[in-house]
Amino acid sequence: MSRIVALETTDVRFPTSLSLDGSDAMNPDPDYSAAYVVIRTDAADAGHAFVFTIGRGNDVQVAAIDALAGHLVGRELEPLLDDMGGTFREIIGDSQLRWLGPEKGVMHMAIGAVINALWDIKAKRAGLPLWQLLARMTPEEIVDLVDFRYLTNALTREDALEILRAAVPGRAEREQELLASGYPGYTTSPGWLGYSDEKLERLAREALGDGFTQIKLKVGADLEDDIRRFRKAREVVGPDFPIAIDANQRWEVSEAIAWVNALAEFRPAWVEEPTSPDDVLGHAEIARGIAPIRVATGEHAQNRVIFKQLLQADAIGVMQIDAVRVAGVNENIANLLLAAKFGIPVCPHAGGVGLCEAVQHLSMFDFVAVTGTREGRLIEFVDHLHEHFVVPTDIRGGSYMAPTAPGAGMEMKAESIATYTWTGAHVVA
């Protein structure tokens, strides 16, 4: 048996506000940051993960991860890895820490970081990338990872088993398809609000040349400006090329309906985060008011319960999971199963710091072991900060090539951590 000997956290921040990378109507000057965690063992194992933030408050997120040290340091590692469903339920069930949510916010994301770091160790020990490790589990093993509490009026254990068993035939062939051709992506790189028209046009042309089949524009600050920018993007990519829009929670419900309908002549592929991520009924009202344009949301959905309600209310046409917003791999498997039950495609949120590297594993697992299809599904790609990761995303012809390196893909280079550490490493041992 090996033991966990330390949980190390670091406040890592990149000054992206200087170039306005990531700027949108709600977040005009983000500094992309990572509350970074490493779980170390006496067998020289190391599991790496992080929570993505946009600057101030990253220290608060680090403190929340530190608060989980008592659940890990000194524990034997193998029992935790052998029962990741039980490990997830144990940590999520700490009643005193749960009170800070419950199951939402800074503490919930901290739990996701340590769960993801454990998955990183488990995948590295198996010698497999995370997507392949998950996709080779039996339906029963996958279902054992999920906490079905609060879900059973929409998704039962039996429902999940039926979905997973139906996807068992063809798993090996789909693995090979992924390794050969990858998973389709779309890019947000042209669309940041802080960019000039010239930069928007140049990046849109580059997206076409790189083989992407969709781009996304940020909207919501000024309608006339959005119309002008959308028109310029259309002039570059043509009348039929899919362009999604993203309001980043800027609007009231009625405002969202009016604004999106004012942009309808440009045929948006979807509108993302049109209002508060917690307003399930508001999203449903918007969906009715802008149909057939689809509503997409989820990068700020607090937990599986919000996703359940969005699906039950017919409030979304696209689900956008985030690798680090909910409580890690386990809860995102629940989200993927919910989407499969309701027949809604999942197009994950990515970009930021390392989100592309992390979330690709979940989409690829979904293709192999859950839905069996990539049709209508895309992973967001933003060409920022990949050079800081040990295994950066590999984009070819607008697709994510399937990673083959063991692990969850969230390990950052030591020199990058050292260069961009904000306050220094904290070690709880």
Side-chain angles (χ1 to χ4, degrees):
M1 289 288 184
S2 55
R3 289 187 182 274
I4 296 173
V5 296
L7 182 148
E8 300 177 3
T9 53
T10 312
D11 184 339
V12 181
R13 306 189 196 188
F14 297 90
T16 51
S17 61
L18 298 179
S19 57
L20 296 180
D21 294 340
S23 54
D24 58 56
M26 188 62 79
N27 308 291
D29 58 350
D31 285 319
Y32 281 176
S33 305
Y36 194 78
V37 61
V38 183
I39 295 174
R40 299 197 185 277
T41 78
D42 59 8
D45 287 308
H48 298 252
F50 57 84
V51 178
F52 169 61
T53 78
I54 61 167
R56 288 183 297 278
N58 201 47
D59 52 337
V60 178
Q61 188 64 68
V62 167
I65 298 171
D66 286 340
L68 295 166
H71 281 284
L72 298 168
V73 176
R75 297 278 296 274
E76 291 183 344
L77 178 63
E78 286 77 8
L80 298 175
L81 299 184
D82 289 344
D83 182 15
M84 284 296 291
T87 300
F88 175 82
R89 285 183 283 273
E90 175 195 328
I91 300 176
I92 214 92
D94 181 323
S95 64
Q96 295 182 13
L97 294 177
R98 187 178 184 276
W99 187 267
L100 302 177
E103 296 188 44
K104 63 174 86 61
V106 170
M107 201 68 243
H108 201 54
M109 291 188 287
I111 291 170
V114 300
I115 291 296
N116 286 340
L118 288 170
W119 277 108
D120 187 47
I121 296 177
K122 187 176 177 75
K124 286 173 178 172
R125 284 193 167 192
L128 295 170
L130 177 63
W131 68 268
Q132 212 164 41
L133 173 68
L134 294 171
R136 292 181 179 182
M137 290 182 171
T138 67
E140 291 75 17
E141 288 171 331
I142 295 169
V143 166
D144 285 344
L145 300 173
V146 175
D147 184 354
F148 286 94
R149 184 170 50 176
Y150 311 135
L151 297 184
T152 55
N153 63 325
L155 177 76
T156 65
R157 179 184 175 88
E158 291 68 31
D159 293 333
L161 281 170
E162 183 178 349
I163 291 166
L164 293 165
R165 286 169 178 162
V168 169
R171 274 189 182 188
E173 291 81 2
R174 290 192 292 275
E175 271 198 29
Q176 292 307 307
E177 285 183 50
L178 271 182
L179 291 167
S181 59
Y183 199 103
Y186 75 92
T187 181
T188 304
S189 293
W192 304 113
L193 276 184
Y195 287 176
S196 66
D197 289 351
E198 292 74 19
K199 190 169 185 178
L200 183 160
E201 291 168 339
R202 173 175 60 81
L203 292 173
R205 279 192 294 271
E206 290 178 5
L208 280 177
D210 290 339
F212 289 104
T213 55
Q214 179 173 296
I215 63 172
K216 187 166 72 182
L217 302 179
K218 299 292 182 172
V219 298
D222 179 89
L223 178 57
E224 292 306 312
D225 188 54
D226 289 345
I227 291 172
R228 179 181 54 78
R229 292 171 64 251
F230 216 142
R231 183 172 289 118
K232 287 187 174 295
R234 273 273 168 250
E235 289 170 357
V236 172
V237 301
D240 300 320
F241 188 87
I243 302 177
I245 56 174
D246 185 354
N248 292 96
Q249 314 164 31
R250 182 63 182 258
W251 298 319
E252 296 286 339
V253 170
S254 58
E255 187 180 17
I257 294 170
W259 202 299
V260 175
N261 282 326
L263 296 174
E265 65 176 292
F266 301 108
R267 294 191 296 152
W270 70 60
V271 58
E272 185 172 330
E273 285 201 309
T275 192
S276 165
D278 301 333
D279 190 354
V280 174
L281 297 182
H283 277 86
E285 185 176 342
I286 293 167
R288 292 190 297 270
I290 66 171
I293 299 169
R294 295 176 295 170
V295 171
T297 198
E299 71 180 83
H300 285 89
Q302 303 173 38
N303 51 42
R304 65 200 184 281
V305 180
I306 293 292
F307 279 120
K308 179 191 76 168
Q309 293 177 75
L310 287 166
L311 292 164
Q312 287 175 315
D314 293 323
I316 55 173
V318 179
M319 178 190 278
Q320 295 177 305
I321 62 171
D322 184 283
V324 301
R325 172 63 59 175
V326 298
V329 168
N330 296 58
E331 190 165 27
N332 265 321
I333 290 174
N335 295 332
L336 291 171
L337 288 165
L338 281 164
K341 171 72 183 296
F342 283 83
I344 294 296
V346 175
C347 298
H349 169 245
V353 178
L355 298 183
C356 297
E357 282 73 13
V359 82
Q360 62 181 330
H361 289 271
L362 298 172
S363 284
M364 292 176 185
F365 157 72
D366 178 71
F367 169 55
V368 176
V370 183
T371 62
T373 183
R374 290 169 290 187
E375 176 127 15
R377 289 153 170 83
L378 301 160
I379 306 172
E380 183 176 23
F381 177 73
V382 181
D383 197 10
H384 298 158
L385 307 174
H386 303 290
E387 66 274 16
H388 299 291
F389 285 83
V390 173
V391 184
T393 52
D394 180 8
I395 301 293
R396 300 182 210 168
S399 290
Y400 280 74
M401 301 311 295
T404 57
M410 302 177 80
E411 183 173 352
M412 196 177 287
K413 293 178 179 177
E415 57 268 31
S416 294
I417 295 171
T419 300
Y420 292 98
T421 292
W422 183 256
T423 56
H426 312 278
V427 179
V428 181

